Structure formats: C-alpha cells, structure tokens
Amino acid sequence: MKRFMGIFAFFLGCMVFGPTWAASLEGASKPIARTTGKQCVECHESEAKTHIYHGDCASCHIGAEAHSKAEKPKTVKIGKPVSAQCLSCHETDKRRMHFSIAEHNKAGIQCTDCHGMHAPKIKSLNAAMEKGGKTVALCSTCHQDVMARFSMTSHHPVKEGGATCTGCHDPHASKQATLGAKTAQCTKCHQAVRGPHAFEHPPVAEDCTTCHDPHGSPNKKLLSVAQPMQCLQCHSIAGNRHGQAGANNNTQRITGAALRDCASCHGSIHGSSADQHLRF
C-alpha cells in the first residue's frame, strides 16, 4: 500500500509541477537577455552623440536591466568608479599590469581622473598645447609645476611636439617596474653619450639627473646648476693644475679663466676612451 501511495504521489507531482519545471528548464537553456548600448541610446539620444567609449552600458551602470524594463524607469546613476572596477575588464592589458605599484595608484589617483568613461577628458586644445597634443595637455592638468619648466630657456621640446610625457614616463607603472637605470631611459634618445667607455664619469653612469634637469632649466644643456658650480659640487680644484704651476701652489689665486667653463677642457664629460681626466 505504501509503495502504491508513493507512486501515486510521484505522478501527481509531475502533473502539478511538471509545466513549471519544464518552463524553468527551458528558460535556463536560453541566454539571459542583457541590455546593450544600442537599446540604451533609443532613449538616451543626446548621450549617444558624446559617448564613444564602452558600448555596453550595463557593464558599468548597475540596474540598467531593470531600468530598461520598467514602465516608468527611474534614473540610473553610478558613482565614480574606482580603478579596481575598471581593471576587472582591462586587467589583461600588459600596459596596466603594474598599476598596483604605480606612482599614480599610490597617490590615490583613479582611472577616471585621467580617462573619460564615455569620451576623452581633453576634447580640444588651446594655442599653448596645440603642438604638444592631448596627452601632454592631460598631464598638465595636474603637473603644472613641471609644465612651467618646459617654458625655460633650455628644455625638452614637449610643447613643440618633439617629445611627450609618456615617451619617458609610464603612467600605469612604477619607477621600480623595470630593471634599467634612469640613464638607460635617457640614452634611448641621446645615443651619442651612451657608453660603455674606458673611463666612465660615475654620475653619468648612475643617473643623468645628477647634473641635468630632464624637464627644463635656465642653464644651458638642461644643467641643474651653471658651470663651474655644477662640477664643484663634487670636484675640488687641484692646486698644481689649471695653470697654477710654481712654488705658490697653495696660496696663488686661481684665475677666472680656469673656472669659466670646465667642459672647455674636459670635453668628454660623459666618458672617454683615451683620458682618465675626460679631456678628450
């Protein structure tokens, strides 16, 4: 009797709940409908004219699905997304793989501070940035102190369009992301001073910025300090040289001609293959 009642209950359940189970299984086999950008712009025509990035609105705007199906849809808003939300899609880009240790990330800069979600941050250029380009204009919105140096007498031609900020700096990585020294970065362009040399000038081999300001300087050749003070920060003047021969080596005054320009004699300032004093 119990077996009969069990069989009867099974068939009764199939009759009552069978259509529901079938419908649920049929729905599970179909892909879930997703609101696309094309559907959104049917109503949001004005946004469609300016939104050139991210065609799938629902990937960022949470609630877009319910918004599109409601009879009286409410406004769907999204807060300013953090970098982690952007990287959930853009994490495979090799240019952004070091962003967790990047200087911008450490400073609390988010992706949206530089990148527009729907359109470029910089839409037009003023006369000062016309040759420099949109990348330089974007960097200048924060790094105004650096941009001021590009107006000095000696500077890298960034505003003139001969160089860009990202040509030397990787905005998505850290200074420690590569094994190369700063000098290696500079000699990618300044190959004439690249070593190795038989007689190396130690600060040149270690870091070009020991003597040069890479952005701009009031002194010639981007020198941080004008000669001879640039050289005298490390070097003292030997009394038995520089035309001071004689018995009064320690008391005779050194002439201004000897101090006017060290590189006039020490012409191989970046390194020499013939002379340990870097004269030639």
Side-chain angles (χ1 to χ4, degrees), residues 35 39-40 63-71 73 76:
T35 302
Q39 292 174 269
C40 296
E65 203 66 46
H67 171 80
S68 64
K69 295 178 180 178
E71 293 183 5
V76 176

Side-chain angles (χ1 to χ4, degrees), residues 104 109-116 119-122 138 141-142 171-172:
H104 277 148
I109 303 299
Q110 301 296 329
C111 299
T112 52
D113 293 327
C114 298
H115 300 279
K121 281 277 187 178
I122 304 297
L138 177 62
T141 58
C142 293
H172 301 108

Side-chain angles (χ1 to χ4, degrees), residues 170-189:
D170 185 345
H172 301 108
S174 168
K175 296 176 182 178
Q176 287 74 36
T178 59
L179 297 178
K182 291 182 180 178
T183 299
Q185 176 70 47
C186 297
T187 54
K188 287 180 180 179
C189 295

Side-chain angles (χ1 to χ4, degrees), residues 46-278:
S46 59
E47 287 85 348
K49 297 177 181 179
T50 58
H51 290 30
I52 63 174
Y53 297 152
H54 301 106
D56 189 356
C57 305
S59 61
C60 293
H61 291 276
I62 309 302
E65 203 66 46
H67 171 80
S68 64
K69 295 178 180 178
E71 293 183 5
K72 296 182 179 180
K74 298 180 180 179
T75 302
V76 176
K77 294 184 178 180
I78 183 171
K80 188 177 181 181
V82 296
S83 296
Q85 184 176 347
C86 299
L87 291 172
S88 63
C89 292
H90 295 285
E91 62 183 353
T92 57
D93 191 331
K94 64 180 181 180
R95 294 179 300 172
R96 299 176 177 87
M97 62 186 299
H98 296 297
F99 190 72
S100 59
I101 59 172
E103 304 300 324
H104 277 148
N105 188 46
K106 292 177 182 177
I109 303 299
Q110 301 296 329
C111 299
T112 52
D113 293 327
C114 298
H115 300 279
M117 293 186 294
H118 303 123
K121 281 277 187 178
I122 304 297
K123 297 179 177 63
S124 61
L125 296 172
N126 56 32
M129 291 294 175
E130 186 174 359
K131 294 182 179 179
K134 292 184 178 181
T135 299
V136 175
L138 177 62
C139 297
S140 68
T141 58
C142 293
H143 301 282
Q144 297 180 12
D145 56 330
V146 176
M147 292 304 299
R149 303 197 72 85
F150 292 124
S151 298
M152 292 185 173
T153 304
S154 179
H155 60 270
H156 270 116
V158 172
K159 288 186 176 180
E160 294 81 1
T164 62
C165 303
T166 54
C168 298
H169 303 280
D170 185 345
H172 301 108
S174 168
K175 296 176 182 178
Q176 287 74 36
T178 59
L179 297 178
K182 291 182 180 178
T183 299
Q185 176 70 47
C186 297
T187 54
K188 287 180 180 179
C189 295
H190 302 280
Q191 298 178 13
V193 298
R194 180 186 295 176
H197 304 285
F199 300 97
E200 296 279 4
H201 193 181
V204 175
E206 293 171 4
D207 186 354
C208 297
T209 59
T210 302
C211 298
H212 301 280
D213 188 307
H215 299 117
S217 171
N219 306 303
K220 294 180 179 180
K221 299 181 179 180
L222 295 174
L223 287 176
S224 302
V225 183
Q227 291 191 60
M229 294 309 300
Q230 180 72 69
C231 303
L232 292 177
Q233 291 182 84
C234 298
H235 301 281
S236 59
I237 299 177
N240 61 345
R241 295 184 176 87
H242 304 95
Q244 305 304 311
N248 299 323
N249 287 337
N250 297 325
T251 58
Q252 187 174 353
R253 295 177 63 186
I254 298 173
T255 64
L259 294 174
R260 188 168 291 118
D261 188 353
C262 302
S264 294
C265 296
H266 302 278
S268 298
I269 195 66
H270 296 102
S272 173
S273 299
D275 183 66
Q276 62 177 333
H277 301 297
L278 306 178

